[in-house]
Amino acid sequence: MHDVAAHAGVSRGTVSRALNGTGYVSAEARARIEAAIAEVGYVRNNAARNLVMRKTWAIGFVVHEPHQLFLEDPNIGGILLGTNAVVAEADHQLVVLVVDSDDDAARVSSYLRGGFVDGAVLVSARSHDQVADAVEQIGLPAAFVGHPEGRPSIPYVGIDNRSAARALTTRLVETGRRRIGMLASALDRDSGADRLAGFTEALGDRFDERLVVADPLYSYRAGVDTMTELLRREPALDGVFAASDAVAAGAIEALRTAGRTVPGDVGVVGFDDSAWALRCNPPLSTVHQPAAEMGRAAATLVLEQLAGRTPSSVTLPTDVVWRASA
């Protein structure tokens, strides 16, 4: 910075203000400083800057999912890209942290407590979540994507999973299906539990708990396994609500293996309107979940907290997208 100041003919303080955006610098001085930076090859020492300003300029993106599912799930990818767009615009760096085990949770919790990020976006948090506990304990600015119960101090971005599932199931009933089951997933978090609740409400007296088969994950493999079990329980099944598009894709494969046609023998619907929905044959009826917008909104909530504000949680709208699978 001394070299830049000397080449630009300004004080070191003026260079500091120009680089950090912390005070007035005239347009003329700023132009000379930028020219001097190019001439001397100056690169800012971010470690020193962070120590002085007590900021890391980093935001954590914590995903509580198995590594393979993190790579395969387009919904998580959409949330990640939306988050990164807002974080980058604010001149912060996004740091991705994947939690796939108790050891991961302990390590990530310790990392967050160590002050390596200024805030965090938390995706797929569970009802009892070690990382969320750490975030609350240290008062780290954060936002959930989803709405875990019992965390009023952390704002969230979510959708009304219950109403969306109820609307989709009602539409499936209106096609004339009589024996409808559900491939439930992730019942240890709000999204999975609320989708099951909406399904149950839509069926009313026709709900049969035997026709609900659950798996911990929103995954293709879960769809194959739970659909196979559901057919074993009820061979006369003619309708299925899968808790995600990936689960629905696995269900369609299991139905095809069992000699059933979709939608001829069994109508299938999913949830998310992700890339999985259009990969399916036939294309999948589903609920559109605005993944990228959820990521953008969650990042905005974190940045507002860093600016000293207290933002409110956000609930985004969803739509039923009806295609050929039901």
Side-chain angles (χ1 to χ4, degrees):
M1 288 179 67
H2 285 295
D3 292 340
V4 171
H7 276 72
V10 300
S11 71
R12 186 176 182 278
T14 301
V15 174
S16 177
R17 290 196 302 275
L19 291 174
N20 293 319
T22 55
Y24 173 76
V25 178
S26 70
E28 179 187 358
R30 189 177 299 278
R32 294 205 306 271
I33 290 169
E34 291 174 354
I37 287 172
E39 184 177 348
V40 304
Y42 169 80
V43 177
R44 180 163 56 192
N45 185 331
N46 282 323
R49 180 193 185 208
N50 295 347
L51 284 172
V52 171
M53 301 189 74
R54 296 184 179 180
K55 288 190 68 175
T56 67
W57 302 93
I59 303 295
F61 185 85
V62 183
V63 183
H64 196 146
E65 296 286 6
H67 297 152
Q68 190 61 36
L69 185 59
F70 170 73
L71 295 173
E72 292 178 354
D73 190 336
N75 204 48
I76 294 176
I79 296 169
L80 171 63
L81 292 175
T83 301
N84 187 65
V86 171
V87 167
E89 180 66 24
D91 198 27
H92 285 62
Q93 179 62 48
L94 195 66
V95 179
V96 178
L97 305 164
V98 182
V99 177
D100 187 15
S101 66
D102 290 342
D103 287 344
D104 286 346
R107 186 181 64 257
V108 170
S109 298
S110 177
Y111 180 84
L112 297 178
R113 287 191 176 97
F116 295 102
V117 296
D118 297 328
V121 171
L122 308 176
V123 181
S124 301
R126 271 56 171 176
S127 301
H128 304 285
D129 192 298
Q130 182 177 346
V131 175
D133 289 343
V135 167
E136 283 191 313
Q137 289 164 7
I138 65 177
L140 184 72
F144 287 119
V145 176
H147 185 203
E149 292 185 357
R151 307 281 184 179
S153 65
I154 301 177
Y156 67 87
V157 177
I159 61 171
D160 188 341
N161 284 282
R162 190 171 189 146
S163 293
R166 185 169 58 243
L168 186 64
T169 305
T170 299
R171 182 74 179 269
L172 182 60
V173 170
E174 290 171 350
T175 66
R177 310 292 171 172
R178 306 295 299 174
R179 293 293 285 164
I180 301 175
M182 181 175 179
L183 309 182
S185 295
L187 295 179
D188 59 344
R189 48 191 127 146
D190 63 295
S191 60
D194 286 350
R195 290 173 198 180
L196 175 57
F199 171 80
T200 303
E201 290 170 358
L203 290 184
D205 293 340
R206 290 200 289 172
F207 173 73
D208 183 346
E209 64 180 13
R210 289 182 54 256
L211 302 188
V212 176
V213 183
D215 187 276
L217 301 176
Y218 292 119
S219 69
Y220 178 90
R221 184 72 248 172
V224 173
D225 293 343
T226 54
M227 187 71 250
T228 300
E229 170 61 18
L230 188 55
L231 283 174
R232 186 193 68 78
R233 295 184 187 181
E234 179 52 271
L237 190 82
D238 64 357
V240 175
F241 171 33
S244 80
D245 293 346
V247 174
I252 290 173
E253 179 61 27
L255 287 166
R256 186 170 290 119
T257 299
R260 309 295 179 90
T261 62
V262 176
D265 296 324
V266 183
V268 179
V269 297
F271 202 107
D272 288 334
D273 197 23
S274 68
W276 279 107
L278 296 180
R279 290 179 198 160
C280 291
N281 183 20
L284 190 64
S285 297
T286 186
V287 169
H288 176 72
Q289 181 168 208
E293 189 176 350
M294 294 171 77
R296 288 192 292 269
T300 300
L301 290 179
V302 174
L303 293 173
E304 286 183 356
Q305 292 171 71
L306 290 174
R309 294 186 285 273
T310 305
S312 298
S313 297
V314 177
T315 300
L316 297 174
T318 60
D319 297 298
V320 171
V321 180
W322 203 255
R323 299 190 178 101
S325 66

